[in-house]
Amino acid sequence: MVNFQDPNVISQEIWAAVKLWHAFCGIFLWEFFTTLDFEWSVIRGNRPYRWTIWIYSLTRIATLILVILQIVQLNVYTPMNCQLWIIFGLIFAYFSLACASLLLMIRVIAIWKRNKIILALSTTVWITNVAFLIQGVVRMRSVWIPEEQSCRVSNSDTTKLNVIATFATDTMLLLMMLAGLLHLRLQGGGMFSLGNFLWKQGLIWFLLAAVAEVPPTVFLILNLNDPGSDSIGHRCNANVSLSDKLFL
């Protein structure tokens, strides 16, 4: 049986995580720059202006800053203030996650045509998630490991609550969105294809955004070691990229 606390195993996991992080950063940068025409078309007036464009843009910009910070951190091999670095990284990471969930919440409210009960429930769920994210920023600790020449989160188990909270938030919003779409279909007499309707309403992207939360949630619950549980950036990139597809 693998000893996940073995220094050699931890070193291998860190090396694999670095490569995975670079891959995710590359995917996000590709997605970011290939969809810039959306914002540009709004600026030029080719698309109708909606106030939610600001949330959409802030989500992408915050994630872009996180990606830049992470790339720099992964390629610095001299001692640094890891605690300050992790705080800045978490602020942008959790801000983008909160905005991504907000985009999902707005879509749910729109589908339910601003139903007061759905509005109150989804807002309460979102605010609770934000509270857990703030708690995660305050409690996270990171230290410099000379042997690894990198920063390492020393208490990744403290992020368990906010990871589970984000997963629960996206899952609840997903269920509310699905219920709303089924309600719309019933109101329409069920005369249209459910599959095509779900695709046009963006439920597939919503589902993928929720599924992207499953692996980090499982690893955090298992708590095998700190590198294995540290997946904030992966969650952020995947969640933001998929949630933004709802807006396009």
Side-chain angles (χ1 to χ4, degrees), residues 97-248:
L97 282 174
C99 286
S101 294
L102 182 58
L103 286 174
L104 303 180
M105 185 190 80
I106 292 172
R107 189 56 176 269
V108 169
I109 294 173
I111 289 174
W112 279 96
K113 298 178 180 180
R114 300 184 181 181
N115 179 283
K116 292 183 179 179
I117 296 177
I118 296 299
L119 176 61
L121 179 60
S122 58
T123 301
T124 301
V125 169
W126 183 77
I127 291 176
T128 302
N129 182 36
V130 171
F132 276 109
L133 293 178
I134 294 174
Q135 178 252 15
V137 174
V138 174
R139 297 184 60 189
M140 182 67 78
R141 296 292 180 268
S142 180
V143 295
W144 177 263
I145 306 298
E147 296 79 9
E148 300 167 1
Q149 293 185 318
S150 65
C151 294
R152 186 202 294 178
V153 174
S154 59
N155 60 339
S156 59
D157 59 302
T158 61
T159 65
K160 186 180 298 184
L161 287 178
N162 58 67
V163 170
I164 294 175
T166 302
F167 177 69
T169 297
D170 290 345
T171 301
M172 290 182 67
L173 291 175
L174 172 64
L175 293 175
M176 285 190 285
M177 183 177 181
L178 178 59
L181 293 176
L182 292 175
H183 179 67
L184 287 177
R185 184 172 186 265
L186 291 175
Q187 283 186 329
M191 300 301 293
F192 49 84
S193 170
L194 180 60
N196 289 335
F197 185 62
L198 295 180
W199 173 262
K200 290 179 180 179
Q201 291 295 325
L203 184 68
I204 303 301
W205 298 115
F206 204 162
L207 177 61
L208 291 175
V211 170
E213 294 289 331
V214 175
T217 303
V218 171
F219 279 113
L220 266 174
I221 293 175
L222 292 176
N223 194 27
L224 301 176
N225 51 42
D226 286 323
S229 300
D230 183 18
S231 54
I232 296 170
H234 307 158
R235 293 167 50 216
C236 184
N237 287 350
N239 198 303
V240 168
S241 296
L242 294 169
S243 299
D244 283 350
K245 293 295 183 181
L246 284 170
F247 196 82
L248 293 176

Side-chain angles (χ1 to χ4, degrees), residues 86-103:
I86 193 68
I87 289 176
F88 275 106
L90 284 177
I91 288 174
F92 287 108
Y94 288 163
F95 179 80
S96 62
L97 282 174
C99 286
S101 294
L102 182 58
L103 286 174

